[in-house]
């Protein structure tokens, strides 16, 4: 069932077009000026904070960053969404949340719509500029399901259910039916633990890479059939506690939450083999769950699952260099 709270805006096409050319040649002085501007921009980014606080008791888990330097983070406590300026580390509540709401995985679309995994069978869509709730999609029954993470691929936002072997495709920026995609093939569903968790698109854009947190397996999933092919790991036995995924080209970053590490893999052309390149760790990691990239940094939220999850528990987000 889908509840539309107002007509959904159509996805805006990415604006393009070249600027008018004022001259046929570029002077050496202009080139120097451009180089100076680029250097100044790089220096400014280097000075941006690599750690910023979140509200006490926020219970963060998801983070997403779009084209602009703003991070959007969701709360497990009440479904609130916080937007933080990466240049200053200053944040403000974009959506106040409410009783019974949860915000875990998030993804920001180019048209400004924010897709949020709502845990208890629900996916929500918000306007990232105002925080306004645009639509609510009831993907499953609340009991026995955990809608955990989301990725944007093609004309749909794909959500994982950590307690069921099904992915859900929600139409992006338009009305339409939600598509349920049962996972078959090599997929193994382990009862009473979190299975499908983090999700990204394959490098060729034709499939999905999904991590099963327990026992720690990566799968390449066909969006046409739901057939899951186990990805062979080279240099690592498992990706146990695998949570958020980030893919840049053929490089895959796997956040292994309770291990306080991010493992970095090189994917082969068909994304059927992942070879361990390096492991990233940081003394500031405190059970990081998900990550998002901006520039040459990876930003992660610390869920602090091993600490008391109380209204006065402190939380933060940190950045590491790529």
């Amino acid at each position: 069932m889908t509840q539309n709270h107002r007509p959904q805006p159509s996805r805006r096409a990415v604006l393009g077009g070249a600027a008018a050319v004022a001259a046929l040649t570029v002077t050496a002085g202009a080139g120097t000026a451009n180089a100076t501007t680029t250097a100044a921009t790089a220096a400014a980014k280097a000075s941006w904070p690599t750690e910023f606080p979140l509200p006490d008791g926020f219970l963060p888990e998801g983070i997403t960053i779009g084209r602009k330097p703003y991070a959007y983070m969701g709360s497990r406590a009440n479904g609130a969404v916080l937007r933080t300026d990466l240049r200053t580390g200053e944040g403000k509540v974009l959506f106040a949340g409410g009783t019974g709401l949860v915000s875990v995985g998030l993804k920001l679309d180019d048209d400004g719509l924010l897709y949020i995994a709502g845990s208890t069978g629900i996916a929500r869509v918000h306007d990232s500029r105002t925080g306004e709730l645009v639509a609510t999609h009831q993907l499953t029954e609340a009991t026995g399901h955990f809608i955990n993470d989301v990725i944007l691929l093609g004309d749909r936002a794909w959500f994982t259910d950590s307690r069921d072997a099904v992915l859900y495709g929600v139409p992006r920026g338009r009305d339409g039916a939600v598509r349920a995609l049962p996972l078959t093939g090599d997929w193994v569903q382990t009862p009473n633990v979190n299975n499908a968790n983090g999700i990204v698109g394959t490098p060729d854009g034709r499939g999905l890479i999904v991590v099963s947190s327990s026992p720690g397996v990566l799968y390449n999933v066909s969006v046409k059939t739901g057939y899951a092919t186990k990805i062979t790991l080279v240099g690592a036995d498992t990706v146990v506690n695998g949570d958020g995924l980030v893919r840049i080209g053929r490089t895959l970053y796997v956040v292994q939450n309770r291990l306080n590490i991010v493992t970095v893999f090189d994917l082969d052309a068909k994304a059927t083999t992942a070879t361990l390149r390096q492991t990233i760790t940081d003394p500031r990691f405190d059970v990081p769950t998900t990550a998002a990239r901006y520039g040459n940094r990876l930003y992660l939220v610390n869920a602090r699952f091993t600490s008391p999850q109380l209204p006065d528990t402190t939380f933060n987000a940190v950045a590491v260099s790529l």
Side-chain angles (χ1 to χ4, degrees):
M1 178 179 67
T2 300
Q3 299 175 352
N4 290 315
H5 296 263
R6 65 173 171 82
Q8 294 192 30
S10 60
R11 292 170 57 207
R12 296 194 306 269
V14 178
L15 298 179
V21 179
L24 296 178
T25 59
V26 179
T27 64
T32 302
N34 289 337
T36 301
T37 300
T38 301
T41 301
K45 290 184 178 181
S47 68
W48 294 1
T50 60
E51 182 175 347
F52 48 84
L54 306 181
D56 290 355
F58 190 71
L59 308 188
E61 184 162 340
I63 181 172
T64 185
I65 303 171
R67 298 174 182 270
K68 297 180 180 180
Y70 296 96
Y72 297 80
M73 292 155 285
S75 168
R76 289 177 287 111
N78 62 357
V81 177
L82 183 76
R83 181 173 62 196
T84 293
D85 189 328
L86 301 179
R87 297 165 295 185
T88 64
E90 296 180 358
K92 70 174 185 178
V93 175
L94 184 71
F95 174 68
T99 302
L101 294 182
V102 177
S103 294
V104 278
L106 307 89
K107 283 297 177 295
L108 178 64
D109 208 341
D110 290 338
D111 62 2
L113 292 180
L114 186 63
Y115 293 82
I116 301 178
S119 180
T120 55
I122 291 174
R124 304 196 317 274
V125 185
H126 288 257
D127 187 319
S128 66
R129 295 168 290 271
T130 65
E132 180 183 359
L133 179 63
V134 174
T136 298
H137 301 273
Q138 188 72 47
L139 306 182
T140 70
E141 297 177 352
T143 304
H145 297 273
F146 178 19
I147 306 304
N148 198 339
D149 208 351
V150 57
I151 192 64
L152 308 176
L153 182 73
D155 63 352
R156 293 181 183 271
W158 288 98
F159 291 82
T160 57
D161 184 343
S162 293
R163 295 297 173 126
D164 197 7
V166 181
L167 303 180
Y168 295 92
V170 172
R172 290 168 67 178
R174 60 180 175 82
D175 291 327
V178 173
R179 180 187 174 196
L181 184 68
L183 296 170
T184 62
D186 295 339
W187 187 268
V188 175
Q189 185 73 14
T190 305
N192 303 317
V193 296
N194 284 340
N195 289 259
N197 198 331
I199 182 171
V200 293
T202 55
D204 63 9
R206 298 177 181 177
L208 297 163
I209 297 174
V210 179
V211 62
S212 179
S213 299
S214 304
V217 178
L218 292 170
Y219 293 94
N220 184 326
V221 179
S222 167
V223 293
K224 291 183 178 180
T225 65
Y227 192 95
T229 301
K230 183 178 178 180
I231 297 176
T232 300
L233 300 181
V234 178
D237 294 329
T238 72
V239 284
V240 65
N241 296 132
D243 202 328
L245 300 180
V246 174
R247 183 187 57 77
I248 304 172
R250 282 166 50 181
T251 301
L252 181 68
Y253 298 82
V254 182
V255 182
Q256 294 179 252
N257 52 37
R258 293 178 184 268
L259 301 184
N260 287 315
I261 61 174
V262 179
T263 41
V264 186
F265 292 90
D266 293 320
L267 297 169
D268 67 341
K270 295 184 178 180
T272 56
T273 299
T275 302
L276 181 65
R277 181 200 303 175
Q278 69 176 116
T279 298
I280 300 172
T281 189
D282 190 286
R284 298 170 300 163
F285 286 175
D286 194 348
V287 194
T289 46
T290 56
R293 175 213 185 181
Y294 192 83
N296 65 348
R297 288 180 175 178
L298 199 64
Y299 289 83
L300 306 97
V301 289
N302 282 317
R304 306 195 66 193
F305 288 147
T306 57
S307 300
Q309 307 284 284
L310 302 174
D312 59 352
T313 301
T314 59
F315 294 93
N316 68 347
V318 300
V320 295
S321 297
L322 296 177

